[in-house]
Amino acid sequence: MLMTGSQIVLEVLAEEKVDTVFGYPGGTILNVYDALYDNQLGIRHFITAHEQGAAHAADGYARATGKTGVVFATSGPGSTNLVTGIATAYMDSIPMVAITANVPNAQIGSDSFQEVYITGITMPITKHNFVVRRVEELADTIRQAFSIANSGRPGPVLVDIPKDVTAAACEFLPAPAPAAPERPAEIDPAVIAEVAALINAAERPVIHFGGGVIGSGASPLVYELAHRASIPACHTIMGTGVLSYNDPLNMGMVGMHGNISAGLAINGADLLLVIGARFSDRVATKPSDFARRARIVQIDIDRSEINKNIHIDYSIVGDVGRVLEAVLPLIERKEHPAWQAQIDAWRADDVVPPASALDGKLHPYDIIHAVAELAGEDAIIVTDVGQHQMWTAQYCGRTQPRSFLTSGGLGTMGFGYGAAVGAQVAFPKRRVIHITGDGCFHMNLNELCTSVSYHLPVITVVLNNGVLGMVRQWQTLFYDHRYSSTSLHRKTDFAKVAEAFGAKGFHADTAEEFREKFSKALGSGAPCVIECRIDEDEMVMPMIPGGSTVKEAYRSAPVVSEL
């Protein structure tokens, strides 16, 4: 059948079972949008307030569903506005296909209006990217983009299409019947047996898992391994929800703002089994001292992660689900009573905030505990980046994977609202709670109009301390209270801003008032913003200073005389 390039784009998206696209139209991509106007393929398009919001929405959609997120943008500033969103997805291994349009082939290289070399710009932050010069190559290129985005370690792929290619026509041939899936590389059974023997022989084992477990869909296998051999487990921020927060073997998050007990367990372990995690500097805060008593086994789909940051004793490169399926039959049922008793003693000394303080102030843990309780286990919690992100990771009480969405690797302020839109579009019947700070919300509150326009009942909780909280915390602890450019002196009334956008706005100044306003927001069925004033000197504790070990962690905010 003869089709234009624009029609081919939509046909291939339908082949790939894409039903949702986020984006923003413009001159060079108008042919695609014109084809979208009368498409009969069931593809929904959501226009955001800004292309960066569209990229984060595609990312949030992918994180929440496990599907590939898709974003459209026009040339020049449209495509460059995607860059931060693409980099965010790249750092966290999120499958995404970005389709950008460019100036016609004849104008490329002439500095024409809104021309930019987007494939060169995004080369370091994509798994791969393409420029399609001929319409005959378009269908197979987009198919290849989806294949790359989802194969191996997932990630973003960009396809740039000159405008004349979207207008040109050629014979479109539907994708051939899928061939038999390529047989995965065999996992050496001798290595599997050796790793299983190490697990069976260990007296002080610890499992450390990350986002790769969620990407693989291997959460039930991690649960089975931990419980079969009674192995305590801890996780990166990206692994939140793999094990329920109340699982007795779950020691919680580890690292700079993780539980002290988890860090001590890793340091005291004789075997550390690392599954789908990459030893970032926020976890291995001092690499030379990390798990130095343990034999370390790393399971990861990306060979480049092996021995990158930490020396590994044993490694298995492959999909963590397939590896665990091979290992589990060889694992003996075992208890480690002495080791568990030691861990329980460490956990008894962890930093645990009170259920509610008696000082009359509204504290972050009051807010997060209330969100977790009132929104329920099925809620999807999305954060921006900073202190509120760490407080949420510590207290959000997630019991299932893909229910806590955050920018872990790039640490993108402004990620949260777009990602919340993507999650709410994916799951219209689930509650999506966006937790943010006043600094971050100023970066993405323009996307309130997206929720209002599409009747998406995203609830935003703003922890407003009037400062850039995490930066100020570092300035307090390590820069002698020299608060350079972190006190914002802004007069924004976020509740009034919400009302101006057509959403509902609330203020809360006490824990009781927050619970009341949050309950109202849950029952409203509308986009809501709840502004919560918290103290500018609230700190995220515990905290391991960069380059230090868990033994040097702050357990509470030091008083001035200690600085």
Side-chain angles (χ1 to χ4, degrees), residues 255-563:
M256 182 172 284
H257 294 295
N259 289 330
I260 298 291
S261 59
L264 292 174
I266 283 179
N267 280 357
D270 62 359
L271 177 71
L272 180 64
L273 182 60
V274 182
I275 308 174
R278 60 183 181 87
F279 301 109
S280 81
D281 60 307
R282 287 302 191 262
V283 170
T285 50
K286 187 175 181 180
S288 62
D289 198 66
F290 185 80
R292 56 191 176 88
R293 297 175 180 84
R295 292 183 179 182
I296 303 178
V297 177
Q298 185 177 7
I299 303 171
D300 202 283
I301 200 166
D302 187 352
R303 187 177 299 277
S304 71
E305 291 296 344
I306 307 300
N307 286 318
K308 185 171 82 173
N309 297 324
I310 296 291
H311 174 73
I312 303 302
D313 298 293
Y314 301 87
S315 65
I316 304 177
V317 177
D319 176 82
V320 297
R322 289 188 63 240
V323 174
L324 292 178
E325 285 173 348
V327 169
L328 273 167
L330 306 179
I331 300 302
E332 300 169 358
R333 295 194 178 276
K334 190 174 180 181
E335 302 288 337
H336 304 93
W339 180 227
Q340 190 61 56
Q342 174 63 80
I343 287 173
D344 289 344
W346 285 329
R347 293 176 78 171
D349 199 33
D350 269 335
V351 177
V352 179
S356 185
L358 300 177
D359 56 10
K361 295 180 180 179
L362 181 57
H363 293 277
Y365 43 82
D366 295 323
I367 297 167
I368 310 303
H369 282 154
V371 167
E373 175 191 342
L374 297 175
E377 294 181 358
D378 194 48
I380 299 172
I381 297 179
V382 188
T383 78
D384 279 290
V385 170
Q387 285 182 314
H388 69 274
Q389 175 192 34
M390 294 298 113
W391 285 319
T392 306
Q394 291 172 335
Y395 310 137
C396 68
R398 296 301 83 199
T399 61
Q400 54 188 299
R402 301 194 183 278
S403 61
F404 176 72
L405 314 183
T406 195
S407 170
L410 196 63
T412 304
M413 293 178 69
F415 164 82
Y417 206 103
V421 165
Q424 191 71 82
V425 165
F427 294 104
K429 294 184 179 180
R430 292 175 66 179
R431 303 320 309 249
V432 175
I433 315 299
H434 168 224
I435 300 178
T436 188
D438 51 309
C440 286
F441 197 40
H442 272 113
M443 292 189 177
N444 62 27
L445 60 79
N446 54 329
E447 295 301 341
L448 272 167
C449 69
T450 308
S451 285
V452 171
S453 296
Y454 293 105
H455 308 288
L456 304 174
V458 173
I459 298 174
T460 294
V461 178
V462 186
L463 278 61
N464 186 356
N465 55 10
V467 298
L468 300 179
M470 188 61 86
V471 186
R472 179 185 172 91
Q473 176 168 329
W474 280 64
Q475 288 172 330
T476 299
L477 296 175
F478 311 120
Y479 289 85
D480 196 27
H481 299 75
R482 293 162 62 87
Y483 300 123
S484 177
S485 300
T486 49
S487 296
L488 300 178
H489 307 295
R490 291 171 179 161
K491 305 301 182 184
T492 309
D493 184 324
F494 291 112
K496 288 183 178 178
V497 168
E499 297 285 353
F501 272 98
K504 294 184 180 296
F506 304 92
H507 293 100
D509 296 315
T510 67
E512 294 75 16
E513 194 172 8
F514 176 75
R515 294 177 70 89
E516 175 195 348
K517 299 297 174 62
F518 188 69
S519 295
K520 285 185 177 180
L522 287 170
S524 72
C528 297
V529 174
I530 308 173
E531 181 177 6
C532 307
R533 280 282 180 179
I534 64 171
D535 192 276
E536 65 182 11
D537 288 318
E538 286 271 13
M539 290 194 184
V540 180
M541 290 293 155
M543 178 181 181
I544 303 173
S548 302
T549 71
V550 66
K551 295 179 181 178
E552 301 161 284
Y554 290 104
R555 290 176 177 267
S556 60
V559 296
V560 173
S561 61
E562 292 177 328
L563 297 174

Side-chain angles (χ1 to χ4, degrees), residues 5-6 9-10 29-37 72 99 161 166:
S6 297
V9 169
L10 301 184
I29 201 169
L30 272 180
N31 291 330
V32 175
Y33 275 87
D34 188 62
L36 190 64
Y37 183 84
F72 286 172
I99 295 177
I161 313 169
T166 67

